[in-house]
Amino acid sequence: MGEIIKNKKYMIKTWGCQMNVHDSEKIAGVLSSLGYQAVDSEKQADLIIFNTCCVREHAELKVYGNLGRLKKLKEQRKDLMIAVCGCMTQQEEVARHIARRYPFVDIVFGTDKIHKLAGFIANAKLTGSTIIDIEEDEEGSIIEDVPVEREEGIKAWVAVMHGCNNYCSYCIVPYVRGRERSRKKEYILEEVKRLGQSGYKEVTLLGQNVNSYGKGSSDRVDFAALLRKVNGVDGIERIRFMTSHPKDLSDELIYAIRDCDKVCEHIHLPFQAGSNSILHRMNRKYTKEQYLELTDRIREEIPDISITTDIIVGFPGESEEDFLHTLDVVERVRFDSAFTFLYSKRSGTPAERMEGHISDSVKHERLKRLLYLTERITAENNSTLRGEVLEVLVEGVSKTHSGRLTGRTRTNKIVHFEGHDSLTGKLVNVRITDPQSWSLFGEALNE
Ligand code: 5AD
Ligand code: SF4
């Protein structure tokens, strides 16, 4: 994979979703195979990589702000190398804008080009000019032999599919991450097996829409079947997955979650909006009633499951009445937690061209009301856990309190309790004594 580089240091800054976090692990894997070492500070790094997100304008503005800051650093250290990759650079005009506006950037590369990083670095050094490679590879290709350097030894992300075919009208992801393609089950199972052998306890299977896993493939393994297979891998104790699209969440998947002992009782099921006309214009392909019926069906089979969601407020044309439907869904489903977003106009998406864009003040006012409700419900749900004994996978010592451990329940709630570091990576039964809105406090039970 190119020459080994001695004593060079790199720093990766990552914005956006878990898929980006996982891509950064692949970038780290490539760089360490080249002899680079990771550092935390830009000042110490010989190579700085920004792995960017473009799902909302806010994320992009942050990247531009950070890029601006690097100019000075580059002036002080001419040999510093700067690379920008990820979803922002998948849009050609953005990639060109970065190269033009920030000429000190050495490499601009796309999300499918991580395996070529060694070549980009060598080329940039050789030519001294900005290397841009964002061309889409041939349709359907997934590069399998990229090394992955994972951060910690307890939880790991495993991509099961890439891209998205859903074209929700507000969303840029299908344009930047390309068409849906599933990894072969053999590669996924092999990766999970290796993770189990090296001591990882939890895997999260990742995809923009995991429910479409295996569509169009000849071996007839859909996501429910994949979950059952992953459940059979030794060493791994917990399996999570995200994200599920409500339109194609099958009964088989519900049964697989119910039946598989390692699959955690948690589903992230974005509903985005409660009004049927907004859902229709979002191209979500389900109605409010179907969503409510689906969550009922899930809870019938798996009563203690936690359901979390994503919600967008202020989609073009959203009336007060439409918004009340969103609040109504929240009240009825009583989500364990919700990620709430202000609608953000994305260039090239159908929603950008729709009538009735909502003013910032109305969006903010609705978001405030929504947050008030979601936070109240999260707190109420958590309060019912007082006195319960929950299994916690310990992730480590709290950063702020030595002697305090932090971990997660199967339902993905954060738990803090007193304990020794030696419990890190172990499953511990904890009695919840003080449930709060964002996390639960408890005490370990003596076995
Ligand atoms: N504006 C606001 N939120 C968005 N999301 C995706 N695109 C947009 C946008 N243009 C949200 C959706 C999705 C989550 C990952 O980001 O809620 O589920
Ligand atoms: Fe975007 Fe919709 Fe695909 Fe999710 S399912 S990535 S919101 S287009």
Side-chain angles (χ1 to χ4, degrees):
M1 201 175 250
E3 60 170 323
I4 295 286
I5 297 157
K6 290 224 174 69
N7 301 325
K8 289 277 187 191
K9 300 188 170 62
Y10 73 90
M11 197 205 96
I12 307 175
K13 210 170 161 66
T14 309
W15 285 268
C17 66
Q18 305 324 336
M19 197 61 99
N20 254 21
V21 174
H22 184 48
D23 279 351
S24 288
E25 293 175 338
K26 291 185 188 164
I27 296 169
V30 170
L31 291 175
S32 74
S33 76
L34 291 173
Y36 275 89
Q37 283 168 9
V39 288
D40 293 333
S41 109
E42 287 170 356
K43 289 218 169 73
Q44 292 170 3
D46 303 290
L47 168 64
I48 297 174
I49 300 195
F50 281 0
N51 189 5
T52 64
C53 167
C54 61
V55 84
R56 282 170 294 275
E57 189 188 16
H58 186 62
E60 288 194 343
L61 294 178
K62 274 198 187 154
V63 170
Y64 287 132
N66 275 269
L67 267 178
R69 231 174 7 85
L70 290 188
K71 187 171 178 211
K72 261 221 173 81
L73 214 56
K74 183 83 176 196
E75 279 166 3
Q76 290 159 2
R77 292 181 34 214
K78 292 274 180 265
D79 59 340
L80 170 67
M81 192 160 274
I82 297 172
V84 184
C85 65
C87 290
M88 269 173 83
T89 62
Q90 286 292 104
Q91 305 157 87
E92 199 179 333
E93 64 291 357
V94 177
R96 306 240 170 260
H97 171 74
I98 290 173
R100 236 187 356 258
R101 172 84 180 69
Y102 307 93
F104 53 85
V105 170
D106 300 279
I107 306 166
V108 180
F109 65 101
T111 49
D112 297 329
K113 299 296 161 89
I114 295 170
H115 59 294
K116 292 189 174 172
L117 187 52
F120 297 151
I121 295 173
N123 241 335
K125 272 193 187 141
L126 209 63
T127 62
S129 54
T130 308
I131 307 294
I132 304 184
D133 188 348
I134 57 164
E135 301 282 294
E136 232 179 89
D137 279 339
E138 66 188 83
E139 193 72 8
S141 67
I142 299 179
I143 309 289
E144 279 293 348
D145 58 356
V146 183
V148 179
E149 180 138 313
R150 292 183 160 90
E151 259 218 348
E152 25 146 4
I154 300 165
K155 306 196 296 183
W157 312 108
V158 175
V160 300
M161 55 187 306
H162 299 270
C164 181
N165 285 356
N166 291 316
Y167 289 100
C168 300
S169 62
Y170 50 82
C171 185
I172 192 117
V173 169
Y175 306 92
V176 295
R177 288 270 175 182
R179 297 291 57 72
E180 237 167 52
R181 53 234 186 262
S182 299
R183 283 179 77 195
K184 288 206 167 69
K185 67 168 189 308
E186 291 78 12
Y187 289 127
I188 298 169
L189 289 170
E190 188 49 43
E191 186 172 351
V192 176
K193 205 180 286 170
R194 266 187 285 116
L195 288 167
Q197 284 162 356
S198 32
Y200 284 86
K201 294 290 184 292
E202 179 177 306
V203 290
T204 302
L205 308 180
L206 286 181
Q208 255 76 35
N209 174 20
V210 290
N211 301 345
S212 311
Y213 177 81
K215 265 189 194 159
S217 98
S218 52
D219 66 4
R220 294 177 176 274
V221 173
D222 60 10
F223 190 61
L226 181 72
L227 267 188
R228 289 183 189 271
K229 287 187 186 299
V230 176
N231 195 59
V233 176
D234 284 341
I236 295 298
E237 315 233 24
R238 286 181 171 186
I239 301 162
R240 302 186 184 279
F241 58 94
M242 63 194 291
T243 293
S244 292
H245 194 307
K247 82 176 158 57
D248 46 16
L249 193 146
S250 66
D251 284 345
E252 275 61 40
L253 179 57
I254 300 176
Y255 303 147
I257 305 169
R258 180 196 64 191
D259 299 344
C260 294
D261 56 336
K262 295 177 185 171
V263 176
C264 291
E265 294 75 27
H266 169 224
I267 188 159
H268 186 64
L269 195 63
F271 80 93
Q272 313 293 6
S275 140
N276 285 338
S277 80
I278 296 289
L279 283 170
H280 180 69
R281 291 192 313 122
M282 283 181 161
N283 194 29
R284 291 290 291 178
K285 302 196 172 78
Y286 54 82
T287 61
K288 174 185 178 184
E289 293 71 27
Q290 284 166 335
Y291 185 88
L292 293 172
E293 198 259 329
L294 176 61
T295 49
D296 282 348
R297 205 144 31 96
I298 295 171
R299 285 200 169 122
E300 229 164 75
E301 296 298 334
I302 316 153
D304 290 333
I305 196 164
S306 87
I307 304 180
T308 57
T309 201
D310 292 346
I311 308 168
I312 297 176
V313 298
F315 185 81
E318 183 187 73
S319 66
E320 172 65 17
E321 196 192 335
D322 290 323
F323 176 63
L324 291 177
H325 282 290
T326 294
L327 296 183
D328 188 44
V329 172
V330 172
E331 297 233 36
R332 293 203 201 189
V333 181
R334 298 186 61 79
F335 297 100
D336 289 90
S337 80
F339 295 97
T340 50
F341 305 107
L342 295 170
Y343 167 73
S344 171
K345 202 192 267 187
R346 302 287 67 205
S347 156
T349 60
E352 183 201 11
R353 298 182 297 275
M354 286 181 187
E355 305 269 295
H357 281 268
I358 307 289
S359 71
D360 279 352
S361 61
V362 171
K363 278 193 219 169
H364 279 103
E365 185 263 339
R366 287 184 187 157
L367 183 67
K368 214 165 128 191
R369 285 155 67 199
L370 178 61
L371 278 173
Y372 183 77
L373 183 63
T374 54
E375 284 169 13
R376 194 196 80 208
I377 290 172
T378 300
E380 285 170 5
N381 283 353
N382 283 355
S383 73
T384 65
L385 299 172
R386 189 185 299 277
E388 298 254 321
V389 175
L390 302 175
E391 182 199 89
V392 174
L393 174 59
V394 182
E395 292 175 14
V397 178
S398 151
K399 287 195 179 79
T400 47
H401 294 76
S402 58
R404 183 186 284 171
L405 299 175
T406 297
R408 280 179 193 262
T409 63
R410 287 175 64 95
T411 51
N412 212 31
K413 292 179 192 271
I414 297 171
V415 179
H416 307 288
F417 64 100
E418 302 293 314
H420 192 261
D421 193 13
S422 58
L423 290 175
T424 298
K426 302 259 163 41
L427 293 171
V428 176
N429 286 325
V430 176
R431 184 184 306 283
I432 304 305
T433 51
D434 182 17
Q436 300 193 355
S437 300
W438 301 113
S439 53
L440 312 170
F441 288 80
E443 53 197 25
L445 293 193
N446 292 324
E447 294 300 309

